[in-house]
Amino acid sequence: MEAGISKTLLADIRRHLDGQNALFDKLLTEMGGSIDELTTLSLHRIELTDRILRLNAVLAIEERRFAALAREKQKPLGQREQWLTMQRISAVLLGAGRSENLIGIGEFHRNYRALIVELEEDEKPLIQSQLLKLQEIASGRDGLFELRRAEIGRRIRAEAAMNRIRHSTEVINNHAAEITATAQANIITERERTISAIAFASGIIVIAVVLSILMAVMAAAYSAAIRMRRRRQSG
């Protein structure tokens, strides 16, 4: 919804300018493309985040179950140690699912591989079946590590798109201020010419205000998506 409002505002601004300023026209076109990219990336992130949270919920249950099995004193010590390793693997995967950067994900992946090696040679069917379940959650294109990398990659690209929108807005606002200042400086010597220039500058001021509203709308939408993801993660 916010993206549609933003695109409508940009279209109104371009109609107001009616080709009078090539720089503005270029920047507004670029802003439209950045808004489209930001919208697409945000939708993809919502889908990825939902899938990650579902996997995290499964892992949280498994982590608690393995921890309980590791505490059962009637079981042999070796088996309890194996369940403890399974619990540690689940905890590492949960950490990866909540990591906020690619470096952190890489570190969790190394820890995961090191723990997997401890159990891969165990021939007990029960241990192997449980280990396979965790590996299915963690590995492959639909696995936790790849989903988390994809989500963070899209977040980085979305932030870059937002920065481009901010930069274009700043350039337009600065250029609008220059046009207004020039028009006001020529008032005394070029009255008729200045009247036209001031009219154009006034339009530019309106554009600057609208762009500020646009940025507020986009920033609010972006922040809301981030807050929603964090609430869902903490839940």
Side-chain angles (χ1 to χ4, degrees), residues 45 48 52 92 95-111 143-157 159 229:
R45 286 188 64 202
L48 289 168
I52 291 167
V92 165
R98 294 166 179 167
S99 179
E100 290 296 322
N101 58 73
L102 295 174
I103 295 175
I105 292 176
E107 185 63 28
F108 280 117
H109 190 260
R110 283 189 291 273
N111 293 339
L144 182 65
F145 287 109
E146 285 304 315
L147 291 177
R148 199 72 188 95
R149 290 188 185 102
E151 193 277 330
I152 290 178
R154 281 163 175 77
R155 185 190 72 194
I156 292 171
R157 290 169 57 192
E159 289 171 352
R229 181 174 68 82

Side-chain angles (χ1 to χ4, degrees), residues 4-22:
I5 294 173
S6 301
K7 294 297 290 292
T8 300
L9 288 172
L10 288 179
D12 290 342
I13 292 171
R14 295 184 69 182
R15 280 195 297 272
H16 180 79
L17 288 173
D18 194 24
Q20 296 180 61
N21 191 294

Side-chain angles (χ1 to χ4, degrees), residues 1-3 38 42 162 215-227:
M1 178 179 177
E2 290 83 359
L38 181 61
S42 297
M162 180 63 78
M215 284 304 304
V217 170
M218 296 302 297
Y222 187 74
S223 298
I226 294 298
R227 288 195 300 271

Side-chain angles (χ1 to χ4, degrees), residues 223-235:
S223 298
I226 294 298
R227 288 195 300 271
M228 179 187 72
R229 181 174 68 82
R230 288 179 176 170
R231 284 198 301 269
R232 296 177 70 180
Q233 281 187 337
S234 61

Side-chain angles (χ1 to χ4, degrees), residues 175-191:
H175 192 47
E178 292 175 3
I179 292 174
T180 302
T182 300
Q184 291 174 340
N186 292 331
I187 288 177
I188 297 176
T189 57
E190 300 182 41
R191 180 177 178 79

Side-chain angles (χ1 to χ4, degrees), residues 9 15 18 22 56 64 66 74 86 104 146 167 185 191 221:
L9 288 172
R15 280 195 297 272
D18 194 24
N56 282 349
R64 290 191 294 270
F66 293 140
Q74 70 273 22
M86 296 291 287
E146 285 304 315
H167 174 72
R191 180 177 178 79

Side-chain angles (χ1 to χ4, degrees), residues 58-59 61-63 65-66 69 82-83 85-87 89-90 93 112 116 119 122 124-138:
V58 173
L59 286 167
I61 294 171
E62 293 298 290
E63 194 269 342
R65 184 169 68 87
F66 293 140
L69 289 169
Q82 290 171 330
W83 290 126
T85 301
M86 296 291 287
Q87 185 263 332
I89 293 172
S90 300
L93 292 175
Y112 163 77
I116 286 291
L119 295 178
D122 193 296
K124 294 184 180 65
L126 178 59
I127 293 296
Q128 286 302 309
S129 65
Q130 297 300 306
L131 183 60
L132 180 61
K133 182 177 180 179
L134 292 183
Q135 288 175 311
E136 288 176 348
I137 291 175

